[in-house]
Amino acid sequence: MSARLMALAMALPLALAPPDPAQAASWTLRVQNAAGQPLADAVIAVEVKGQTGQAPAGTLAQMEQRSRQFLPAILIVQTGTAVNFPNFDTVRHHVYSFSATKKFDLKLYTGTPTAPVLFDKAGVAALGCNIHDDMSAHIIVVDTPHFAKSDAQGLLRLELPAGEHVLKAWHPKLGSPLLSSFALRLVAGSEPAPVQLPVR
């Protein structure tokens, strides 16, 4: 057998082999409200079996204070992420959370506190400012690197392998400190079923 024919014979089994189910692909997920309408600002996290829930050591995120608002109002981080709270306003802020997910208290300050706050437990942390009552925000802590927030059309994209996964969801209108759990089945060549949350 010539070298060319041998190379073709060796490549043929690879070409006929089925795709690896563990290989990630880009999926568009659609989030809807109770009426089936697109739902913006929904937090979606997908837990894939066998993948770590902790963020790499040294992972940092940031929630700013500008014009007496938290930016972003909803921040999603992976468990083990440290978050900085820089104050870009000319007035001092007093940032706090009494949530079970993370309790902390950053007393009156300007600039950036010396040490970031480590979010080491999954869940929802509601934030406020002790000086400005109209300031509020949420930090959503998830045990997976696969997360996103839905856009104005209720859409988001994630890189995930096909298979059976656990989907965690949260939305400000749910008014819950917990993420809801759903089964998520991804089949190659098929569009995932919409995620419907019980909000109006």
Side-chain angles (χ1 to χ4, degrees):
M1 181 182 290
S2 69
R4 184 165 181 262
L5 287 175
M6 185 177 292
L8 287 172
M10 293 175 65
L12 188 58
L14 295 176
L16 296 178
D20 181 1
Q23 187 173 5
S26 182
W27 301 86
T28 298
L29 300 182
R30 185 182 307 273
V31 188
Q32 301 175 344
N33 64 12
Q37 299 168 327
L39 183 61
D41 296 327
V43 173
I44 299 295
V46 178
E47 296 179 355
V48 176
K49 187 177 181 180
Q51 295 194 10
T52 179
Q54 288 285 327
T59 300
L60 285 171
Q62 183 164 291
M63 177 171 277
E64 302 177 356
Q65 297 144 65
R66 291 181 184 272
S67 302
R68 300 187 183 185
Q69 294 181 32
F70 288 109
L71 297 175
I74 298 174
L75 176 66
I76 316 169
V77 300
Q78 190 176 356
T79 310
T81 299
V83 179
N84 279 314
F85 293 88
N87 178 4
F88 293 100
D89 286 335
T90 55
V91 297
R92 294 191 294 172
H93 292 302
H94 181 159
V95 180
Y96 69 92
S97 174
F98 296 139
S99 302
T101 293
K102 189 66 181 184
K103 296 180 181 180
F104 68 94
D105 192 25
L106 302 176
K107 297 190 184 297
L108 284 170
Y109 71 93
T110 56
T112 302
T114 305
V117 178
L118 180 66
F119 287 78
D120 52 4
K121 179 182 177 182
V124 179
L127 277 61
C129 174
N130 225 6
I131 306 302
H132 307 100
D133 292 339
D134 57 338
M135 288 178 62
S136 64
H138 291 88
I139 295 181
I140 316 303
V141 189
V142 296
D143 283 330
T144 172
H146 307 292
F147 56 80
K149 187 174 67 171
S150 61
D151 62 17
Q153 288 73 46
L155 302 176
L156 58 98
R157 294 186 70 83
L158 291 173
E159 297 289 326
L160 298 165
E164 305 284 341
H165 309 304
V166 176
L167 182 148
K168 299 292 185 73
W170 180 87
H171 192 274
K173 290 183 179 179
L174 288 172
S176 172
L178 303 174
L179 285 83
S180 301
S181 291
F182 302 86
L184 175 66
R185 186 168 184 259
L186 298 178
V187 180
S190 300
E191 184 177 335
V195 179
Q196 194 162 33
L197 300 183
V199 300
R200 296 183 181 276

